[in-house]
Amino acid sequence: MRRDGQGLELSNADEGAVAALDFVRQEWLAFGNRFATFIAAADKEERCLMLPLVAAGLMLTMYSDESHAAAQRYLARAQAMAAGANAREQAWLAAIESWVDGNLDRSADTFEKVVTEWPRDLLAAKLAQLHAFNRGDSESLLRIGEQIAAANDSRFVLAMHAFGLEECNRLDEAEALARKAVALDRRDPWAHHAIAHCLEARGKMLEGVAFLQSMSDTWADCNSFMSTHNWWHLALFLIDLDRPDEALALYDQRVWGVWKEFCEDQINAVSLLARLELRGVDVGSRWADLATYLKPRLHEHYSAFHDVQYLYGLARAGEQSAVTEMLASLEDRAERAKPFERETWADCAVPLAHGLAAHAKGEHANAARLIGRAMPHLRTLGGSIAQRALFGAIHLDALTRSGWNDAALAILQADERERPSVAATKRALADLYKKVGRTEQALAAEYQAEQLARRYKAAAQRGMKGETA
């Protein structure tokens, strides 16, 4: 019985299989771009079922019809090699079978059980955390991080634990662990990502820009998701610093165009263009280019979180026939939802999608009503707190434009309490205070916005050396 580099037993494995699994674990946790090397090994493997199982898991994380079909093929190969599999490998097999069959809850539970019994299995932990992330289950995300932290000592585990802490709003602990990971190896992009989330949640935009820029040289060897997503985070900081032109330049140079066919790159692009437009930026013909790559996804429905963003991108591009077709397909998907999926698809995704389509057409009152129906269920959609904030921003815009001033004011006041350093929030508050006749508060908000804008402009001119928010 051979063991991999984590000390985990492997059935029917020769030295080549062990080397391939050690390689893919390192590459996956480091968000590298050399997966083709492992896939070639998995394609040749005839005895060790863990290679095709891991290959199937990798394909399932790509959320497309083509990758799902590939996962089915790898699963079939793994099933044919299952004789003599040990208990951990049998659990992996059951988890992948459930995932391919669409029983995501069972797959998530099985992967978490693997982590509980074999906490050195970091790829199982990665997939268990991914399932938790896709369900918006921050408690499970953290619990998995805590389990592997007790049994491993590595920068990868620190970063995975940190992200779970951040999604549970334990920001100080999260940032401390992520910075410890960076101290061990500054090339850890998931640690950079966790720190970006912590700084964004506190409204520390200057510090966020300085930190991400200082680490960006290490992203060249990352896969397209991790590279474009960390640049996306940098663009969010720039938008909040009233530097939208720089954010738009990042869209063109870093966020969109690395792998246009990949779902994660597509939702980064949709989200960034939408946020720029909400701040008054004319994005030109960029929606039309993006829509070309969204049209093939109308009926996939591997992720409700992805689907609603695909739909909004199509709607902003004016692809009305595609939007109509996708809305009908989403409604059909909601009708077929398993009990554990119903809140995600029926209570959240369907009204949210209709609301986003209405917002794109300028039907703001209808958008406010429909998105408002989805908001209490938004967490079940999946994604991170920072990513889901897009839908709150669109909802706020719809409320404001439709004259629902009290509701909009309550949201803006809460936003200001959480992140008092965003000048755009204070300007929006000033406008609403004027509308409701609260002149003194409007003047105070305008003054605060002006002071912040001056500070950020001066910092930009100095190159932000040594600046923190």
Side-chain angles (χ1 to χ4, degrees), residues 228-284:
T228 61
H229 192 62
N230 276 343
W231 286 111
W232 176 88
H233 273 285
L234 178 54
L236 298 195
F237 287 125
L238 292 170
I239 291 171
D240 280 340
L241 287 169
D242 291 338
R243 294 159 62 181
D245 290 347
E246 293 175 60
L248 187 59
L250 280 185
Y251 176 92
D252 291 332
Q253 298 163 12
R254 301 289 189 177
V255 175
W256 182 237
V258 178
W259 186 7
K260 290 187 176 184
E261 293 80 10
F262 188 39
C263 59
E264 299 291 351
D265 290 35
Q266 291 165 3
I267 65 168
N268 282 336
V270 169
S271 177
L272 186 50
L273 287 185
R275 290 166 192 258
L276 285 163
E277 285 195 329
L278 290 170
R279 294 294 176 87
V281 176
D282 182 355
V283 302

Short mmCIF file of all heavy atoms in Angstrom, two decimals, residues 228-284:
data_model
loop_
_atom_site.label_atom_id
_atom_site.label_comp_id
_atom_site.label_asym_id
_atom_site.label_seq_id
_atom_site.Cartn_x
_atom_site.Cartn_y
_atom_site.Cartn_z
N THR A 228 -7.59 36.60 -12.69
CA THR A 228 -8.59 37.63 -13.02
C THR A 228 -9.39 38.03 -11.79
O THR A 228 -9.77 39.20 -11.65
CB THR A 228 -9.55 37.14 -14.12
OG1 THR A 228 -10.26 35.98 -13.67
CG2 THR A 228 -8.81 36.82 -15.40
N HIS A 229 -9.61 37.11 -10.87
CA HIS A 229 -10.44 37.45 -9.70
C HIS A 229 -9.68 38.37 -8.74
O HIS A 229 -10.29 39.29 -8.16
CB HIS A 229 -10.88 36.18 -8.98
CG HIS A 229 -11.94 36.43 -7.96
ND1 HIS A 229 -13.19 36.92 -8.28
CD2 HIS A 229 -11.94 36.27 -6.61
CE1 HIS A 229 -13.91 37.05 -7.17
NE2 HIS A 229 -13.17 36.67 -6.14
N ASN A 230 -8.40 38.17 -8.57
CA ASN A 230 -7.66 39.09 -7.71
C ASN A 230 -7.55 40.47 -8.35
O ASN A 230 -7.61 41.50 -7.66
CB ASN A 230 -6.28 38.52 -7.37
CG ASN A 230 -6.34 37.57 -6.18
OD1 ASN A 230 -7.31 37.56 -5.42
ND2 ASN A 230 -5.30 36.76 -6.01
N TRP A 231 -7.40 40.53 -9.67
CA TRP A 231 -7.44 41.83 -10.35
C TRP A 231 -8.83 42.46 -10.21
O TRP A 231 -8.97 43.68 -10.08
CB TRP A 231 -7.07 41.68 -11.83
CG TRP A 231 -5.61 41.45 -12.07
CD1 TRP A 231 -5.01 40.30 -12.52
CD2 TRP A 231 -4.55 42.40 -11.89
NE1 TRP A 231 -3.66 40.48 -12.62
CE2 TRP A 231 -3.34 41.74 -12.24
CE3 TRP A 231 -4.50 43.73 -11.45
CZ2 TRP A 231 -2.10 42.39 -12.17
CZ3 TRP A 231 -3.26 44.37 -11.39
CH2 TRP A 231 -2.08 43.70 -11.75
N TRP A 232 -9.87 41.63 -10.24
CA TRP A 232 -11.24 42.11 -10.03
C TRP A 232 -11.36 42.78 -8.66
O TRP A 232 -11.95 43.85 -8.53
CB TRP A 232 -12.18 40.93 -10.15
CG TRP A 232 -13.64 41.16 -9.87
CD1 TRP A 232 -14.58 41.57 -10.77
CD2 TRP A 232 -14.34 40.95 -8.63
NE1 TRP A 232 -15.82 41.63 -10.17
CE2 TRP A 232 -15.69 41.26 -8.86
CE3 TRP A 232 -13.94 40.53 -7.36
CZ2 TRP A 232 -16.66 41.17 -7.84
CZ3 TRP A 232 -14.89 40.44 -6.35
CH2 TRP A 232 -16.24 40.76 -6.60
N HIS A 233 -10.78 42.15 -7.65
CA HIS A 233 -10.81 42.76 -6.31
C HIS A 233 -10.10 44.11 -6.31
O HIS A 233 -10.57 45.07 -5.66
CB HIS A 233 -10.17 41.82 -5.29
CG HIS A 233 -11.12 40.83 -4.71
ND1 HIS A 233 -12.06 41.18 -3.75
CD2 HIS A 233 -11.29 39.51 -4.93
CE1 HIS A 233 -12.77 40.11 -3.42
NE2 HIS A 233 -12.33 39.08 -4.12
N LEU A 234 -8.99 44.19 -7.00
CA LEU A 234 -8.29 45.48 -7.08
C LEU A 234 -9.18 46.52 -7.75
O LEU A 234 -9.24 47.68 -7.32
CB LEU A 234 -6.98 45.30 -7.85
CG LEU A 234 -6.14 46.57 -8.08
CD1 LEU A 234 -5.86 47.30 -6.77
CD2 LEU A 234 -4.84 46.21 -8.79
N ALA A 235 -9.89 46.13 -8.80
CA ALA A 235 -10.79 47.06 -9.48
C ALA A 235 -11.90 47.56 -8.55
O ALA A 235 -12.29 48.73 -8.62
CB ALA A 235 -11.39 46.39 -10.71
N LEU A 236 -12.42 46.70 -7.67
CA LEU A 236 -13.45 47.13 -6.72
C LEU A 236 -12.92 48.22 -5.81
O LEU A 236 -13.63 49.19 -5.50
CB LEU A 236 -13.95 45.96 -5.88
CG LEU A 236 -14.63 44.79 -6.59
CD1 LEU A 236 -15.38 43.93 -5.56
CD2 LEU A 236 -15.58 45.25 -7.67
N PHE A 237 -11.69 48.06 -5.34
CA PHE A 237 -11.10 49.11 -4.50
C PHE A 237 -11.00 50.42 -5.28
O PHE A 237 -11.29 51.50 -4.75
CB PHE A 237 -9.71 48.68 -4.03
CG PHE A 237 -9.70 47.62 -2.96
CD1 PHE A 237 -8.99 46.44 -3.14
CD2 PHE A 237 -10.41 47.78 -1.78
CE1 PHE A 237 -8.97 45.46 -2.16
CE2 PHE A 237 -10.39 46.80 -0.79
CZ PHE A 237 -9.67 45.63 -0.98
N LEU A 238 -10.58 50.34 -6.52
CA LEU A 238 -10.42 51.55 -7.34
C LEU A 238 -11.76 52.24 -7.56
O LEU A 238 -11.85 53.48 -7.54
CB LEU A 238 -9.77 51.20 -8.67
CG LEU A 238 -8.30 50.76 -8.59
CD1 LEU A 238 -7.84 50.20 -9.93
CD2 LEU A 238 -7.41 51.92 -8.16
N ILE A 239 -12.82 51.48 -7.77
CA ILE A 239 -14.15 52.08 -7.94
C ILE A 239 -14.54 52.86 -6.69
O ILE A 239 -15.01 54.00 -6.77
CB ILE A 239 -15.19 51.01 -8.27
CG1 ILE A 239 -14.95 50.42 -9.67
CG2 ILE A 239 -16.61 51.58 -8.20
CD1 ILE A 239 -15.80 49.21 -9.99
N ASP A 240 -14.33 52.27 -5.53
CA ASP A 240 -14.69 52.94 -4.28
C ASP A 240 -13.78 54.12 -3.97
O ASP A 240 -14.12 54.97 -3.13
CB ASP A 240 -14.67 51.95 -3.11
CG ASP A 240 -15.93 51.11 -3.05
OD1 ASP A 240 -16.95 51.52 -3.64
OD2 ASP A 240 -15.91 50.03 -2.42
N LEU A 241 -12.63 54.18 -4.62
CA LEU A 241 -11.72 55.33 -4.46
C LEU A 241 -11.98 56.41 -5.50
O LEU A 241 -11.17 57.33 -5.65
CB LEU A 241 -10.27 54.85 -4.57
CG LEU A 241 -9.73 54.07 -3.36
CD1 LEU A 241 -8.39 53.44 -3.69
CD2 LEU A 241 -9.60 54.99 -2.15
N ASP A 242 -13.11 56.31 -6.22
CA ASP A 242 -13.45 57.28 -7.27
C ASP A 242 -12.41 57.29 -8.38
O ASP A 242 -12.09 58.34 -8.96
CB ASP A 242 -13.60 58.69 -6.69
CG ASP A 242 -14.81 58.84 -5.80
OD1 ASP A 242 -15.75 58.03 -5.92
OD2 ASP A 242 -14.83 59.77 -4.96
N ARG A 243 -11.91 56.12 -8.72
CA ARG A 243 -10.94 55.98 -9.82
C ARG A 243 -11.48 54.96 -10.84
O ARG A 243 -10.84 53.96 -11.15
CB ARG A 243 -9.58 55.55 -9.27
CG ARG A 243 -8.96 56.64 -8.40
CD ARG A 243 -7.91 56.12 -7.45
NE ARG A 243 -6.77 55.52 -8.09
CZ ARG A 243 -5.74 54.99 -7.43
NH1 ARG A 243 -5.72 55.02 -6.11
NH2 ARG A 243 -4.73 54.44 -8.08
N PRO A 244 -12.68 55.21 -11.36
CA PRO A 244 -13.30 54.23 -12.24
C PRO A 244 -12.57 54.03 -13.56
O PRO A 244 -12.64 52.94 -14.15
CB PRO A 244 -14.70 54.79 -12.46
CG PRO A 244 -14.55 56.26 -12.25
CD PRO A 244 -13.53 56.40 -11.17
N ASP A 245 -11.87 55.06 -14.05
CA ASP A 245 -11.14 54.89 -15.31
C ASP A 245 -10.06 53.82 -15.16
O ASP A 245 -9.84 53.02 -16.09
CB ASP A 245 -10.51 56.21 -15.73
CG ASP A 245 -11.54 57.24 -16.18
OD1 ASP A 245 -12.71 56.84 -16.38
OD2 ASP A 245 -11.19 58.41 -16.30
N GLU A 246 -9.41 53.79 -14.01
CA GLU A 246 -8.38 52.77 -13.77
C GLU A 246 -9.02 51.39 -13.65
O GLU A 246 -8.46 50.39 -14.11
CB GLU A 246 -7.59 53.10 -12.51
CG GLU A 246 -6.74 54.35 -12.63
CD GLU A 246 -6.08 54.70 -11.31
OE1 GLU A 246 -5.30 53.87 -10.79
OE2 GLU A 246 -6.35 55.79 -10.78
N ALA A 247 -10.19 51.34 -13.02
CA ALA A 247 -10.90 50.07 -12.91
C ALA A 247 -11.31 49.55 -14.28
O ALA A 247 -11.21 48.34 -14.56
CB ALA A 247 -12.11 50.22 -12.00
N LEU A 248 -11.78 50.45 -15.14
CA LEU A 248 -12.17 50.04 -16.49
C LEU A 248 -10.95 49.55 -17.28
O LEU A 248 -11.05 48.59 -18.06
CB LEU A 248 -12.85 51.20 -17.21
CG LEU A 248 -13.47 50.88 -18.57
CD1 LEU A 248 -14.54 49.81 -18.45
CD2 LEU A 248 -14.06 52.15 -19.20
N ALA A 249 -9.82 50.19 -17.06
CA ALA A 249 -8.60 49.73 -17.73
C ALA A 249 -8.21 48.33 -17.26
O ALA A 249 -7.76 47.51 -18.06
CB ALA A 249 -7.46 50.72 -17.46
N LEU A 250 -8.41 48.05 -15.97
CA LEU A 250 -8.15 46.70 -15.47
C LEU A 250 -9.09 45.69 -16.10
O LEU A 250 -8.70 44.56 -16.38
CB LEU A 250 -8.28 46.65 -13.95
CG LEU A 250 -7.12 47.16 -13.12
CD1 LEU A 250 -7.38 46.90 -11.64
CD2 LEU A 250 -5.81 46.50 -13.53
N TYR A 251 -10.34 46.09 -16.30
CA TYR A 251 -11.28 45.19 -17.00
C TYR A 251 -10.70 44.79 -18.35
O TYR A 251 -10.68 43.60 -18.70
CB TYR A 251 -12.63 45.89 -17.20
CG TYR A 251 -13.61 45.06 -18.00
CD1 TYR A 251 -14.50 44.20 -17.38
CD2 TYR A 251 -13.63 45.13 -19.40
CE1 TYR A 251 -15.38 43.42 -18.12
CE2 TYR A 251 -14.51 44.36 -20.15
CZ TYR A 251 -15.38 43.51 -19.50
OH TYR A 251 -16.26 42.73 -20.23
N ASP A 252 -10.23 45.76 -19.10
CA ASP A 252 -9.74 45.49 -20.45
C ASP A 252 -8.42 44.72 -20.44
O ASP A 252 -8.19 43.87 -21.30
CB ASP A 252 -9.54 46.81 -21.21
CG ASP A 252 -10.86 47.51 -21.53
OD1 ASP A 252 -11.88 46.81 -21.66
OD2 ASP A 252 -10.85 48.75 -21.64
N GLN A 253 -7.56 45.01 -19.48
CA GLN A 253 -6.20 44.47 -19.52
C GLN A 253 -6.02 43.19 -18.70
O GLN A 253 -5.14 42.39 -19.01
CB GLN A 253 -5.23 45.53 -19.01
CG GLN A 253 -5.20 46.80 -19.85
CD GLN A 253 -4.56 47.98 -19.14
OE1 GLN A 253 -3.92 47.82 -18.09
NE2 GLN A 253 -4.71 49.17 -19.69
N ARG A 254 -6.85 43.02 -17.64
CA ARG A 254 -6.58 41.95 -16.70
C ARG A 254 -7.77 41.03 -16.39
O ARG A 254 -7.59 39.87 -16.08
CB ARG A 254 -6.08 42.54 -15.37
CG ARG A 254 -4.82 43.37 -15.48
CD ARG A 254 -3.62 42.50 -15.77
NE ARG A 254 -2.37 43.24 -15.67
CZ ARG A 254 -1.17 42.71 -15.81
NH1 ARG A 254 -1.05 41.41 -16.06
NH2 ARG A 254 -0.07 43.43 -15.73
N VAL A 255 -8.97 41.58 -16.42
CA VAL A 255 -10.14 40.83 -15.96
C VAL A 255 -10.80 40.07 -17.09
O VAL A 255 -11.21 38.91 -16.93
CB VAL A 255 -11.14 41.76 -15.25
CG1 VAL A 255 -12.42 41.02 -14.87
CG2 VAL A 255 -10.50 42.37 -14.00
N TRP A 256 -10.94 40.70 -18.24
CA TRP A 256 -11.64 40.06 -19.35
C TRP A 256 -10.68 39.79 -20.49
O TRP A 256 -9.94 40.68 -20.91
CB TRP A 256 -12.78 40.95 -19.84
CG TRP A 256 -13.60 40.37 -20.95
CD1 TRP A 256 -13.82 40.91 -22.19
CD2 TRP A 256 -14.32 39.12 -20.94
NE1 TRP A 256 -14.63 40.09 -22.94
CE2 TRP A 256 -14.96 38.98 -22.19
CE3 TRP A 256 -14.48 38.12 -19.99
CZ2 TRP A 256 -15.74 37.88 -22.52
CZ3 TRP A 256 -15.27 37.02 -20.31
CH2 TRP A 256 -15.89 36.90 -21.56
N GLY A 257 -10.69 38.57 -20.98
CA GLY A 257 -9.89 38.26 -22.14
C GLY A 257 -8.87 37.16 -21.92
O GLY A 257 -8.23 36.71 -22.86
N VAL A 258 -8.70 36.71 -20.66
CA VAL A 258 -7.74 35.65 -20.41
C VAL A 258 -8.28 34.31 -20.91
O VAL A 258 -7.62 33.59 -21.63
CB VAL A 258 -7.40 35.56 -18.90
CG1 VAL A 258 -6.42 34.42 -18.64
CG2 VAL A 258 -6.80 36.88 -18.42
N TRP A 259 -9.51 34.00 -20.51
CA TRP A 259 -10.17 32.78 -20.98
C TRP A 259 -11.67 33.11 -21.08
O TRP A 259 -12.42 32.84 -20.18
CB TRP A 259 -9.91 31.62 -20.03
CG TRP A 259 -10.43 30.29 -20.49
CD1 TRP A 259 -10.97 29.99 -21.71
CD2 TRP A 259 -10.45 29.07 -19.74
NE1 TRP A 259 -11.33 28.67 -21.77
CE2 TRP A 259 -11.02 28.07 -20.57
CE3 TRP A 259 -10.05 28.72 -18.45
CZ2 TRP A 259 -11.20 26.77 -20.13
CZ3 TRP A 259 -10.22 27.42 -18.03
CH2 TRP A 259 -10.79 26.45 -18.85
N LYS A 260 -12.06 33.68 -22.19
CA LYS A 260 -13.42 34.20 -22.32
C LYS A 260 -14.49 33.12 -22.24
O LYS A 260 -15.64 33.43 -21.94
CB LYS A 260 -13.55 34.98 -23.64
CG LYS A 260 -12.79 36.30 -23.65
CD LYS A 260 -13.09 37.10 -24.91
CE LYS A 260 -12.41 38.46 -24.87
NZ LYS A 260 -12.77 39.30 -26.04
N GLU A 261 -14.13 31.90 -22.50
CA GLU A 261 -15.11 30.81 -22.45
C GLU A 261 -15.36 30.30 -21.03
O GLU A 261 -16.27 29.50 -20.82
CB GLU A 261 -14.64 29.65 -23.33
CG GLU A 261 -14.60 29.96 -24.82
CD GLU A 261 -13.37 30.74 -25.24
OE1 GLU A 261 -12.43 30.88 -24.41
OE2 GLU A 261 -13.33 31.21 -26.40
N PHE A 262 -14.56 30.73 -20.07
CA PHE A 262 -14.64 30.17 -18.72
C PHE A 262 -15.67 30.92 -17.88
O PHE A 262 -15.67 32.15 -17.84
CB PHE A 262 -13.27 30.22 -18.05
CG PHE A 262 -13.19 29.50 -16.73
CD1 PHE A 262 -13.84 28.30 -16.53
CD2 PHE A 262 -12.45 30.03 -15.70
CE1 PHE A 262 -13.76 27.64 -15.31
CE2 PHE A 262 -12.36 29.37 -14.48
CZ PHE A 262 -13.01 28.18 -14.28
N CYS A 263 -16.51 30.16 -17.17
CA CYS A 263 -17.61 30.75 -16.41
C CYS A 263 -17.14 31.77 -15.38
O CYS A 263 -17.76 32.84 -15.23
CB CYS A 263 -18.43 29.66 -15.73
SG CYS A 263 -17.49 28.63 -14.57
N GLU A 264 -16.07 31.49 -14.65
CA GLU A 264 -15.64 32.39 -13.59
C GLU A 264 -15.13 33.71 -14.17
O GLU A 264 -15.38 34.78 -13.60
CB GLU A 264 -14.56 31.74 -12.73
CG GLU A 264 -14.99 30.47 -12.03
CD GLU A 264 -16.00 30.72 -10.92
OE1 GLU A 264 -16.26 31.88 -10.58
OE2 GLU A 264 -16.54 29.73 -10.39
N ASP A 265 -14.44 33.65 -15.28
CA ASP A 265 -14.01 34.88 -15.94
C ASP A 265 -15.22 35.69 -16.42
O ASP A 265 -15.23 36.92 -16.36
CB ASP A 265 -13.11 34.56 -17.14
CG ASP A 265 -11.75 34.02 -16.71
OD1 ASP A 265 -11.70 33.31 -15.68
OD2 ASP A 265 -10.75 34.30 -17.39
N GLN A 266 -16.24 34.98 -16.86
CA GLN A 266 -17.45 35.66 -17.35
C GLN A 266 -18.18 36.39 -16.23
O GLN A 266 -18.60 37.54 -16.40
CB GLN A 266 -18.37 34.64 -18.03
CG GLN A 266 -17.80 34.10 -19.33
CD GLN A 266 -18.51 32.86 -19.83
OE1 GLN A 266 -19.48 32.40 -19.24
NE2 GLN A 266 -18.02 32.28 -20.92
N ILE A 267 -18.33 35.75 -15.06
CA ILE A 267 -19.05 36.45 -14.00
C ILE A 267 -18.22 37.57 -13.39
O ILE A 267 -18.78 38.58 -12.94
CB ILE A 267 -19.57 35.49 -12.91
CG1 ILE A 267 -18.43 34.82 -12.15
CG2 ILE A 267 -20.52 34.46 -13.51
CD1 ILE A 267 -18.90 34.10 -10.90
N ASN A 268 -16.89 37.43 -13.39
CA ASN A 268 -16.06 38.57 -13.00
C ASN A 268 -16.34 39.77 -13.91
O ASN A 268 -16.46 40.91 -13.45
CB ASN A 268 -14.57 38.21 -13.11
CG ASN A 268 -14.06 37.38 -11.95
OD1 ASN A 268 -14.62 37.40 -10.86
ND2 ASN A 268 -12.99 36.65 -12.18
N ALA A 269 -16.44 39.49 -15.20
CA ALA A 269 -16.66 40.55 -16.17
C ALA A 269 -18.04 41.19 -16.01
O ALA A 269 -18.18 42.42 -16.01
CB ALA A 269 -16.50 40.00 -17.59
N VAL A 270 -19.08 40.36 -15.87
CA VAL A 270 -20.43 40.89 -15.68
C VAL A 270 -20.48 41.78 -14.44
O VAL A 270 -20.99 42.91 -14.47
CB VAL A 270 -21.45 39.74 -15.55
CG1 VAL A 270 -22.81 40.27 -15.08
CG2 VAL A 270 -21.60 39.00 -16.87
N SER A 271 -19.95 41.28 -13.35
CA SER A 271 -20.01 42.01 -12.09
C SER A 271 -19.27 43.33 -12.17
O SER A 271 -19.75 44.36 -11.67
CB SER A 271 -19.44 41.14 -10.98
OG SER A 271 -19.43 41.83 -9.75
N LEU A 272 -18.10 43.33 -12.79
CA LEU A 272 -17.32 44.56 -12.84
C LEU A 272 -17.96 45.60 -13.75
O LEU A 272 -18.05 46.78 -13.39
CB LEU A 272 -15.89 44.25 -13.30
CG LEU A 272 -14.91 45.43 -13.28
CD1 LEU A 272 -14.93 46.15 -11.94
CD2 LEU A 272 -13.50 44.94 -13.60
N LEU A 273 -18.45 45.18 -14.91
CA LEU A 273 -19.14 46.14 -15.78
C LEU A 273 -20.37 46.72 -15.10
O LEU A 273 -20.63 47.93 -15.19
CB LEU A 273 -19.54 45.47 -17.10
CG LEU A 273 -18.44 45.15 -18.11
CD1 LEU A 273 -19.05 44.60 -19.39
CD2 LEU A 273 -17.60 46.38 -18.41
N ALA A 274 -21.12 45.88 -14.41
CA ALA A 274 -22.33 46.36 -13.73
C ALA A 274 -21.98 47.38 -12.66
O ALA A 274 -22.63 48.43 -12.53
CB ALA A 274 -23.09 45.19 -13.12
N ARG A 275 -20.96 47.11 -11.87
CA ARG A 275 -20.56 48.03 -10.81
C ARG A 275 -20.07 49.35 -11.38
O ARG A 275 -20.32 50.42 -10.81
CB ARG A 275 -19.49 47.39 -9.94
CG ARG A 275 -19.99 46.22 -9.08
CD ARG A 275 -18.84 45.41 -8.52
NE ARG A 275 -19.26 44.16 -7.93
CZ ARG A 275 -19.38 43.93 -6.62
NH1 ARG A 275 -19.13 44.91 -5.76
NH2 ARG A 275 -19.75 42.75 -6.17
N LEU A 276 -19.36 49.29 -12.50
CA LEU A 276 -18.90 50.52 -13.15
C LEU A 276 -20.09 51.34 -13.64
O LEU A 276 -20.14 52.56 -13.46
CB LEU A 276 -17.95 50.19 -14.30
CG LEU A 276 -16.55 49.76 -13.87
CD1 LEU A 276 -15.83 49.05 -15.01
CD2 LEU A 276 -15.74 50.98 -13.40
N GLU A 277 -21.06 50.68 -14.25
CA GLU A 277 -22.24 51.41 -14.72
C GLU A 277 -23.01 52.03 -13.57
O GLU A 277 -23.53 53.15 -13.70
CB GLU A 277 -23.15 50.48 -15.52
CG GLU A 277 -22.62 50.17 -16.91
CD GLU A 277 -23.68 49.55 -17.81
OE1 GLU A 277 -24.57 48.84 -17.30
OE2 GLU A 277 -23.61 49.78 -19.03
N LEU A 278 -23.10 51.34 -12.45
CA LEU A 278 -23.81 51.89 -11.30
C LEU A 278 -23.13 53.16 -10.77
O LEU A 278 -23.77 53.97 -10.10
CB LEU A 278 -23.90 50.85 -10.18
CG LEU A 278 -24.84 49.68 -10.44
CD1 LEU A 278 -24.68 48.60 -9.38
CD2 LEU A 278 -26.31 50.15 -10.49
N ARG A 279 -21.85 53.31 -11.07
CA ARG A 279 -21.13 54.54 -10.70
C ARG A 279 -21.08 55.54 -11.86
O ARG A 279 -20.29 56.49 -11.82
CB ARG A 279 -19.72 54.20 -10.23
CG ARG A 279 -19.69 53.40 -8.93
CD ARG A 279 -20.21 54.20 -7.74
NE ARG A 279 -20.26 53.40 -6.53
CZ ARG A 279 -19.25 53.23 -5.69
NH1 ARG A 279 -18.08 53.80 -5.94
NH2 ARG A 279 -19.39 52.49 -4.61
N GLY A 280 -21.89 55.30 -12.87
CA GLY A 280 -22.03 56.28 -13.94
C GLY A 280 -21.04 56.18 -15.07
O GLY A 280 -20.93 57.10 -15.89
N VAL A 281 -20.33 55.06 -15.18
CA VAL A 281 -19.33 54.89 -16.23
C VAL A 281 -19.98 54.34 -17.49
O VAL A 281 -20.77 53.39 -17.43
CB VAL A 281 -18.21 53.94 -15.77
CG1 VAL A 281 -17.20 53.69 -16.89
CG2 VAL A 281 -17.50 54.51 -14.54
N ASP A 282 -19.65 54.92 -18.64
CA ASP A 282 -20.09 54.41 -19.93
C ASP A 282 -19.12 53.31 -20.35
O ASP A 282 -17.95 53.57 -20.63
CB ASP A 282 -20.11 55.54 -20.96
CG ASP A 282 -20.60 55.09 -22.33
OD1 ASP A 282 -20.85 53.87 -22.52
OD2 ASP A 282 -20.73 55.95 -23.22
N VAL A 283 -19.60 52.07 -20.41
CA VAL A 283 -18.71 50.95 -20.73
C VAL A 283 -18.71 50.63 -22.22
O VAL A 283 -18.10 49.65 -22.65
CB VAL A 283 -19.07 49.70 -19.90
CG1 VAL A 283 -18.99 50.00 -18.42
CG2 VAL A 283 -20.44 49.16 -20.29
N GLY A 284 -19.39 51.43 -23.00
CA GLY A 284 -19.33 51.27 -24.45
C GLY A 284 -19.90 49.95 -24.94
O GLY A 284 -20.95 49.50 -24.48
#
